């Protein structure tokens, strides 16, 4: 068509020209709209490739998953015997035994050589000194444990330090040099590691966001380093049982928040969730509040896990955290009744709940070793049955009350 001009010299478009201009504009807008979407898809592909590469580049990836699944097998749990020399000394002193290296070795030998313990225990957490110790007849502790099918693990954090602020909140030390220590522990026979982070609730505005973030970061970085060095990390975010009349609802609220932060940081650090184990607290009210029933504990604890822990995690190994031996078993049984088809193994990683009566029975006397080992195996068997939802009682160590566990700060061994 012949072009027409207005008084200003601009072209006047006829109907066909107007239609063509509108189509060109629409096509340009469509192409512009598609560019961010295409770029977004490319970015997603790059990020996904980065995540899978981290796992594929780890030569221990399949081993980590296999070991985590083994330790968290149904009907078994973990013996937590990683108390520092100072804490062990306090326990020994309670039964009149001097805190010497040989007495500590004798106590751990009693635990690890108990006949039949491997039927109920799949892993044992050791302290640094203990990992390198031997039985009286010269066998490495790690070999004694493996002969029973019990995987040796190692506590790798170096203790708690108080955070600034005057609230008594803590952070955990030990990241410096951790990779080298993990290499050495693996060479000695360790299969997994443990790092404890403690979050205080119930008083003085606790927990603060600073404490939650600081401890979540420490756990995530530790787990990342452990997996790089071939050790399954036990991630232990303990919302600690302490004084106060705070309710079980408050414990559940803060536990859910803490665990959610920990899981987010584990993902940000590319930690393989199917190559870790979790060691959390059960949801309990404060020590000055009425004791919750096992059913209440199970309801709040299971709800917290369902809301915050992905099913990729193979095992949730609850700490006994100041509970008596009998209460620890009753609550573990109630967890199975509350969620019999749990995607995780809801099981145990007990220290005091397996050792307290065992230690009192032994009391440092060689003639009591067999009796002490017998009660240890019975306690392990009771918790094994509870993990399967099959425990009926009576309990081998009935009664007992909750215990306030003092937090030792100042670094390793303090």
């Amino acid at each position: 068509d012949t072009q027409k001009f207005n008084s200003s010299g601009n072209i006047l478009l006829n109907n066909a020209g107007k239609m063509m201009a509108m189509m060109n504009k629409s096509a340009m807008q469509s192409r512009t709209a598609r560019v961010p979407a295409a770029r977004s898809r490319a970015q997603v592909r790059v990020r996904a490739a980065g995540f899978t590469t981290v796992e594929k580049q780890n030569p221990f990836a399949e081993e980590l998953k296999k070991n985590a699944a083994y330790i968290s097998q149904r009907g078994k749990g973990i013996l937590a015997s990683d108390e520092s020399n100072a804490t062990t000394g306090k326990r020994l002193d309670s039964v009149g035994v001097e805190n010497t290296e040989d007495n500590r070795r004798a106590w751990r030998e009693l635990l690890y050589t108990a006949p039949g313990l491997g039927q109920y225990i799949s892993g044992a957490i050791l302290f640094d000194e203990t990992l390198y110790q031997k039985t009286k007849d010269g066998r490495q502790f790690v070999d004694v444990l493996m002969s029973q099918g019990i995987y040796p693990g190692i506590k790798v954090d170096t203790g708690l330090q108080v955070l600034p602020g005057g609230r008594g909140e803590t952070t955990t030390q030990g990241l410096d040099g951790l990779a080298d220590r993990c290499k050495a522990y693996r060479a000695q026979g360790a299969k997994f590691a443990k790092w404890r982070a403690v979050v205080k609730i119930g008083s003085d505005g606790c927990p603060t966001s600073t404490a939650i973030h600081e401890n979540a970061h420490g756990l995530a970085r530790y787990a990342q380093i452990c997996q790089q060095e071939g050790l399954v990390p036990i991630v232990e975010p303990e919302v600690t049982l302490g004084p106060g009349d705070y309710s079980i609802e408050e414990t559940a609220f803060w536990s859910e928040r803490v665990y959610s932060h920990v899981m987010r940081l584990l993902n940000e650090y590319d930690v393989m969730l199917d190559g870790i184990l979790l060691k959390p607290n059960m949801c309990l009210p404060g020590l000055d509040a009425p004791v919750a029933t096992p059913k209440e504990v199970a309801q709040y604890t299971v709800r917290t896990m369902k809301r915050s822990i992905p099913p990729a995690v193979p095992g949730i190994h609850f700490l006994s955290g100041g509970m008596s031996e009998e209460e620890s078993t009753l609550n573990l049984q109630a967890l199975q009744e509350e969620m019999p088809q749990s995607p995780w193994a809801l099981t145990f990683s007990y220290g005091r709940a397996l050792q307290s009566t065992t230690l009192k029975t032994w009391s440092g006397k060689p003639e009591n070793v067999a009796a002490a080992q017998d009660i240890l195996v019975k306690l392990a068997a009771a918790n094994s049955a509870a993990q399967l939802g099959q425990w009926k009682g009576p309990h081998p160590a009935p009664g007992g009350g909750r215990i306030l566990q003092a937090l030792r700060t100042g670094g390793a061994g303090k």
Side-chain angles (χ1 to χ4, degrees), residues 249-269:
E249 290 92 345
E250 184 172 350
T251 303
F253 172 85
W254 287 115
S255 296
E256 183 180 330
R257 177 158 295 190
V258 169
Y259 303 160
S260 297
H261 276 281
V262 170
M263 289 297 141
R264 180 175 67 82
L265 267 292
L266 289 173
N267 277 308
E268 287 191 11
Y269 280 75

PDB file of all heavy atoms in Angstrom, residues 249-269:
ATOM      1  N   GLU A 249       4.658 -29.005  75.835  1.00  0.00           N
ATOM      2  CA  GLU A 249       4.354 -28.274  74.602  1.00  0.00           C
ATOM      3  C   GLU A 249       5.482 -27.317  74.232  1.00  0.00           C
ATOM      4  O   GLU A 249       5.823 -27.177  73.056  1.00  0.00           O
ATOM      5  CB  GLU A 249       3.042 -27.476  74.757  1.00  0.00           C
ATOM      6  CG  GLU A 249       1.798 -28.326  74.830  1.00  0.00           C
ATOM      7  CD  GLU A 249       1.414 -28.682  76.253  1.00  0.00           C
ATOM      8  OE1 GLU A 249       2.253 -28.507  77.166  1.00  0.00           O
ATOM      9  OE2 GLU A 249       0.281 -29.136  76.458  1.00  0.00           O
ATOM     10  N   GLU A 250       6.065 -26.671  75.243  1.00  0.00           N
ATOM     11  CA  GLU A 250       7.161 -25.741  74.954  1.00  0.00           C
ATOM     12  C   GLU A 250       8.390 -26.494  74.450  1.00  0.00           C
ATOM     13  O   GLU A 250       9.054 -26.053  73.505  1.00  0.00           O
ATOM     14  CB  GLU A 250       7.526 -24.940  76.204  1.00  0.00           C
ATOM     15  CG  GLU A 250       8.597 -23.899  75.949  1.00  0.00           C
ATOM     16  CD  GLU A 250       8.832 -22.960  77.122  1.00  0.00           C
ATOM     17  OE1 GLU A 250       8.037 -22.995  78.081  1.00  0.00           O
ATOM     18  OE2 GLU A 250       9.816 -22.196  77.076  1.00  0.00           O
ATOM     19  N   THR A 251       8.683 -27.624  75.060  1.00  0.00           N
ATOM     20  CA  THR A 251       9.807 -28.430  74.576  1.00  0.00           C
ATOM     21  C   THR A 251       9.590 -28.847  73.129  1.00  0.00           C
ATOM     22  O   THR A 251      10.505 -28.794  72.301  1.00  0.00           O
ATOM     23  CB  THR A 251       9.991 -29.675  75.452  1.00  0.00           C
ATOM     24  OG1 THR A 251      10.174 -29.280  76.813  1.00  0.00           O
ATOM     25  CG2 THR A 251      11.202 -30.485  74.995  1.00  0.00           C
ATOM     26  N   ALA A 252       8.362 -29.281  72.818  1.00  0.00           N
ATOM     27  CA  ALA A 252       8.056 -29.707  71.446  1.00  0.00           C
ATOM     28  C   ALA A 252       8.198 -28.555  70.468  1.00  0.00           C
ATOM     29  O   ALA A 252       8.740 -28.719  69.365  1.00  0.00           O
ATOM     30  CB  ALA A 252       6.647 -30.289  71.390  1.00  0.00           C
ATOM     31  N   PHE A 253       7.734 -27.371  70.853  1.00  0.00           N
ATOM     32  CA  PHE A 253       7.824 -26.203  69.980  1.00  0.00           C
ATOM     33  C   PHE A 253       9.275 -25.888  69.641  1.00  0.00           C
ATOM     34  O   PHE A 253       9.642 -25.731  68.469  1.00  0.00           O
ATOM     35  CB  PHE A 253       7.172 -24.992  70.655  1.00  0.00           C
ATOM     36  CG  PHE A 253       7.383 -23.699  69.900  1.00  0.00           C
ATOM     37  CD1 PHE A 253       6.537 -23.351  68.856  1.00  0.00           C
ATOM     38  CD2 PHE A 253       8.424 -22.846  70.231  1.00  0.00           C
ATOM     39  CE1 PHE A 253       6.732 -22.169  68.151  1.00  0.00           C
ATOM     40  CE2 PHE A 253       8.630 -21.661  69.543  1.00  0.00           C
ATOM     41  CZ  PHE A 253       7.782 -21.320  68.492  1.00  0.00           C
ATOM     42  N   TRP A 254      10.133 -25.800  70.673  1.00  0.00           N
ATOM     43  CA  TRP A 254      11.524 -25.440  70.425  1.00  0.00           C
ATOM     44  C   TRP A 254      12.292 -26.565  69.753  1.00  0.00           C
ATOM     45  O   TRP A 254      13.180 -26.317  68.926  1.00  0.00           O
ATOM     46  CB  TRP A 254      12.213 -25.021  71.725  1.00  0.00           C
ATOM     47  CG  TRP A 254      11.757 -23.688  72.204  1.00  0.00           C
ATOM     48  CD1 TRP A 254      11.068 -23.405  73.342  1.00  0.00           C
ATOM     49  CD2 TRP A 254      11.926 -22.436  71.522  1.00  0.00           C
ATOM     50  NE1 TRP A 254      10.802 -22.054  73.424  1.00  0.00           N
ATOM     51  CE2 TRP A 254      11.324 -21.438  72.328  1.00  0.00           C
ATOM     52  CE3 TRP A 254      12.531 -22.059  70.333  1.00  0.00           C
ATOM     53  CZ2 TRP A 254      11.319 -20.091  71.959  1.00  0.00           C
ATOM     54  CZ3 TRP A 254      12.520 -20.719  69.955  1.00  0.00           C
ATOM     55  CH2 TRP A 254      11.921 -19.757  70.765  1.00  0.00           C
ATOM     56  N   SER A 255      11.958 -27.811  70.073  1.00  0.00           N
ATOM     57  CA  SER A 255      12.622 -28.937  69.410  1.00  0.00           C
ATOM     58  C   SER A 255      12.341 -28.907  67.914  1.00  0.00           C
ATOM     59  O   SER A 255      13.251 -29.088  67.093  1.00  0.00           O
ATOM     60  CB  SER A 255      12.150 -30.264  70.009  1.00  0.00           C
ATOM     61  OG  SER A 255      12.522 -30.370  71.367  1.00  0.00           O
ATOM     62  N   GLU A 256      11.092 -28.674  67.560  1.00  0.00           N
ATOM     63  CA  GLU A 256      10.732 -28.609  66.140  1.00  0.00           C
ATOM     64  C   GLU A 256      11.491 -27.488  65.432  1.00  0.00           C
ATOM     65  O   GLU A 256      11.994 -27.669  64.319  1.00  0.00           O
ATOM     66  CB  GLU A 256       9.223 -28.392  66.012  1.00  0.00           C
ATOM     67  CG  GLU A 256       8.715 -28.374  64.584  1.00  0.00           C
ATOM     68  CD  GLU A 256       7.206 -28.157  64.510  1.00  0.00           C
ATOM     69  OE1 GLU A 256       6.499 -28.568  65.454  1.00  0.00           O
ATOM     70  OE2 GLU A 256       6.742 -27.575  63.518  1.00  0.00           O
ATOM     71  N   ARG A 257      11.591 -26.354  66.097  1.00  0.00           N
ATOM     72  CA  ARG A 257      12.294 -25.228  65.474  1.00  0.00           C
ATOM     73  C   ARG A 257      13.784 -25.528  65.321  1.00  0.00           C
ATOM     74  O   ARG A 257      14.381 -25.269  64.269  1.00  0.00           O
ATOM     75  CB  ARG A 257      12.086 -23.964  66.316  1.00  0.00           C
ATOM     76  CG  ARG A 257      12.831 -22.755  65.782  1.00  0.00           C
ATOM     77  CD  ARG A 257      12.229 -21.471  66.256  1.00  0.00           C
ATOM     78  NE  ARG A 257      10.879 -21.287  65.738  1.00  0.00           N
ATOM     79  CZ  ARG A 257      10.187 -20.153  65.842  1.00  0.00           C
ATOM     80  NH1 ARG A 257      10.725 -19.102  66.430  1.00  0.00           N
ATOM     81  NH2 ARG A 257       8.964 -20.056  65.360  1.00  0.00           N
ATOM     82  N   VAL A 258      14.390 -26.081  66.358  1.00  0.00           N
ATOM     83  CA  VAL A 258      15.820 -26.384  66.309  1.00  0.00           C
ATOM     84  C   VAL A 258      16.120 -27.427  65.239  1.00  0.00           C
ATOM     85  O   VAL A 258      17.030 -27.263  64.418  1.00  0.00           O
ATOM     86  CB  VAL A 258      16.317 -26.867  67.690  1.00  0.00           C
ATOM     87  CG1 VAL A 258      17.734 -27.431  67.589  1.00  0.00           C
ATOM     88  CG2 VAL A 258      16.280 -25.723  68.699  1.00  0.00           C
ATOM     89  N   TYR A 259      15.350 -28.519  65.210  1.00  0.00           N
ATOM     90  CA  TYR A 259      15.597 -29.587  64.235  1.00  0.00           C
ATOM     91  C   TYR A 259      15.407 -29.080  62.815  1.00  0.00           C
ATOM     92  O   TYR A 259      16.146 -29.470  61.902  1.00  0.00           O
ATOM     93  CB  TYR A 259      14.675 -30.780  64.471  1.00  0.00           C
ATOM     94  CG  TYR A 259      14.760 -31.389  65.850  1.00  0.00           C
ATOM     95  CD1 TYR A 259      13.719 -32.178  66.336  1.00  0.00           C
ATOM     96  CD2 TYR A 259      15.860 -31.165  66.676  1.00  0.00           C
ATOM     97  CE1 TYR A 259      13.772 -32.736  67.609  1.00  0.00           C
ATOM     98  CE2 TYR A 259      15.919 -31.720  67.942  1.00  0.00           C
ATOM     99  CZ  TYR A 259      14.870 -32.497  68.411  1.00  0.00           C
ATOM    100  OH  TYR A 259      14.922 -33.039  69.659  1.00  0.00           O
ATOM    101  N   SER A 260      14.423 -28.217  62.611  1.00  0.00           N
ATOM    102  CA  SER A 260      14.190 -27.676  61.273  1.00  0.00           C
ATOM    103  C   SER A 260      15.378 -26.845  60.802  1.00  0.00           C
ATOM    104  O   SER A 260      15.786 -26.929  59.642  1.00  0.00           O
ATOM    105  CB  SER A 260      12.908 -26.825  61.262  1.00  0.00           C
ATOM    106  OG  SER A 260      11.778 -27.615  61.560  1.00  0.00           O
ATOM    107  N   HIS A 261      15.938 -26.038  61.689  1.00  0.00           N
ATOM    108  CA  HIS A 261      17.127 -25.254  61.347  1.00  0.00           C
ATOM    109  C   HIS A 261      18.302 -26.176  61.036  1.00  0.00           C
ATOM    110  O   HIS A 261      19.063 -25.940  60.090  1.00  0.00           O
ATOM    111  CB  HIS A 261      17.487 -24.315  62.490  1.00  0.00           C
ATOM    112  CG  HIS A 261      16.718 -23.024  62.478  1.00  0.00           C
ATOM    113  ND1 HIS A 261      17.035 -21.969  61.654  1.00  0.00           N
ATOM    114  CD2 HIS A 261      15.630 -22.625  63.174  1.00  0.00           C
ATOM    115  CE1 HIS A 261      16.188 -20.973  61.847  1.00  0.00           C
ATOM    116  NE2 HIS A 261      15.321 -21.343  62.776  1.00  0.00           N
ATOM    117  N   VAL A 262      18.459 -27.216  61.834  1.00  0.00           N
ATOM    118  CA  VAL A 262      19.566 -28.149  61.602  1.00  0.00           C
ATOM    119  C   VAL A 262      19.429 -28.812  60.238  1.00  0.00           C
ATOM    120  O   VAL A 262      20.397 -28.914  59.475  1.00  0.00           O
ATOM    121  CB  VAL A 262      19.629 -29.204  62.724  1.00  0.00           C
ATOM    122  CG1 VAL A 262      20.618 -30.318  62.370  1.00  0.00           C
ATOM    123  CG2 VAL A 262      20.032 -28.550  64.044  1.00  0.00           C
ATOM    124  N   MET A 263      18.239 -29.285  59.905  1.00  0.00           N
ATOM    125  CA  MET A 263      18.023 -29.943  58.613  1.00  0.00           C
ATOM    126  C   MET A 263      18.263 -28.986  57.443  1.00  0.00           C
ATOM    127  O   MET A 263      18.816 -29.369  56.412  1.00  0.00           O
ATOM    128  CB  MET A 263      16.604 -30.519  58.543  1.00  0.00           C
ATOM    129  CG  MET A 263      16.393 -31.719  59.426  1.00  0.00           C
ATOM    130  SD  MET A 263      17.442 -33.116  58.939  1.00  0.00           S
ATOM    131  CE  MET A 263      17.906 -33.753  60.558  1.00  0.00           C
ATOM    132  N   ARG A 264      17.857 -27.738  57.612  1.00  0.00           N
ATOM    133  CA  ARG A 264      18.098 -26.761  56.538  1.00  0.00           C
ATOM    134  C   ARG A 264      19.589 -26.560  56.318  1.00  0.00           C
ATOM    135  O   ARG A 264      20.073 -26.532  55.181  1.00  0.00           O
ATOM    136  CB  ARG A 264      17.432 -25.422  56.877  1.00  0.00           C
ATOM    137  CG  ARG A 264      17.636 -24.364  55.795  1.00  0.00           C
ATOM    138  CD  ARG A 264      16.865 -23.100  56.095  1.00  0.00           C
ATOM    139  NE  ARG A 264      17.371 -22.419  57.255  1.00  0.00           N
ATOM    140  CZ  ARG A 264      18.435 -21.595  57.264  1.00  0.00           C
ATOM    141  NH1 ARG A 264      19.107 -21.376  56.139  1.00  0.00           N
ATOM    142  NH2 ARG A 264      18.826 -20.993  58.368  1.00  0.00           N
ATOM    143  N   LEU A 265      20.350 -26.447  57.402  1.00  0.00           N
ATOM    144  CA  LEU A 265      21.795 -26.263  57.270  1.00  0.00           C
ATOM    145  C   LEU A 265      22.475 -27.511  56.712  1.00  0.00           C
ATOM    146  O   LEU A 265      23.409 -27.414  55.913  1.00  0.00           O
ATOM    147  CB  LEU A 265      22.397 -25.889  58.618  1.00  0.00           C
ATOM    148  CG  LEU A 265      22.556 -24.388  58.937  1.00  0.00           C
ATOM    149  CD1 LEU A 265      23.595 -23.747  58.045  1.00  0.00           C
ATOM    150  CD2 LEU A 265      21.236 -23.647  58.791  1.00  0.00           C
ATOM    151  N   LEU A 266      22.012 -28.698  57.087  1.00  0.00           N
ATOM    152  CA  LEU A 266      22.562 -29.929  56.516  1.00  0.00           C
ATOM    153  C   LEU A 266      22.372 -29.944  55.009  1.00  0.00           C
ATOM    154  O   LEU A 266      23.270 -30.336  54.256  1.00  0.00           O
ATOM    155  CB  LEU A 266      21.892 -31.152  57.147  1.00  0.00           C
ATOM    156  CG  LEU A 266      22.238 -31.454  58.606  1.00  0.00           C
ATOM    157  CD1 LEU A 266      21.362 -32.581  59.126  1.00  0.00           C
ATOM    158  CD2 LEU A 266      23.708 -31.821  58.764  1.00  0.00           C
ATOM    159  N   ASN A 267      21.226 -29.500  54.553  1.00  0.00           N
ATOM    160  CA  ASN A 267      20.983 -29.440  53.111  1.00  0.00           C
ATOM    161  C   ASN A 267      21.875 -28.402  52.443  1.00  0.00           C
ATOM    162  O   ASN A 267      22.416 -28.633  51.356  1.00  0.00           O
ATOM    163  CB  ASN A 267      19.509 -29.131  52.837  1.00  0.00           C
ATOM    164  CG  ASN A 267      18.641 -30.359  52.883  1.00  0.00           C
ATOM    165  OD1 ASN A 267      18.920 -31.351  52.220  1.00  0.00           O
ATOM    166  ND2 ASN A 267      17.587 -30.331  53.681  1.00  0.00           N
ATOM    167  N   GLU A 268      22.045 -27.255  53.083  1.00  0.00           N
ATOM    168  CA  GLU A 268      22.886 -26.223  52.486  1.00  0.00           C
ATOM    169  C   GLU A 268      24.340 -26.667  52.382  1.00  0.00           C
ATOM    170  O   GLU A 268      25.070 -26.237  51.495  1.00  0.00           O
ATOM    171  CB  GLU A 268      22.785 -24.933  53.313  1.00  0.00           C
ATOM    172  CG  GLU A 268      21.451 -24.211  53.142  1.00  0.00           C
ATOM    173  CD  GLU A 268      21.460 -22.818  53.739  1.00  0.00           C
ATOM    174  OE1 GLU A 268      22.556 -22.326  54.094  1.00  0.00           O
ATOM    175  OE2 GLU A 268      20.373 -22.220  53.841  1.00  0.00           O
ATOM    176  N   TYR A 269      24.774 -27.540  53.290  1.00  0.00           N
ATOM    177  CA  TYR A 269      26.142 -28.039  53.263  1.00  0.00           C
ATOM    178  C   TYR A 269      26.269 -29.348  52.476  1.00  0.00           C
ATOM    179  O   TYR A 269      27.289 -30.022  52.549  1.00  0.00           O
ATOM    180  CB  TYR A 269      26.659 -28.230  54.693  1.00  0.00           C
ATOM    181  CG  TYR A 269      27.115 -26.947  55.350  1.00  0.00           C
ATOM    182  CD1 TYR A 269      26.202 -26.012  55.823  1.00  0.00           C
ATOM    183  CD2 TYR A 269      28.461 -26.657  55.476  1.00  0.00           C
ATOM    184  CE1 TYR A 269      26.610 -24.830  56.419  1.00  0.00           C
ATOM    185  CE2 TYR A 269      28.894 -25.474  56.073  1.00  0.00           C
ATOM    186  CZ  TYR A 269      27.956 -24.571  56.535  1.00  0.00           C
ATOM    187  OH  TYR A 269      28.368 -23.394  57.121  1.00  0.00           O
TER     188      TYR A 269
END
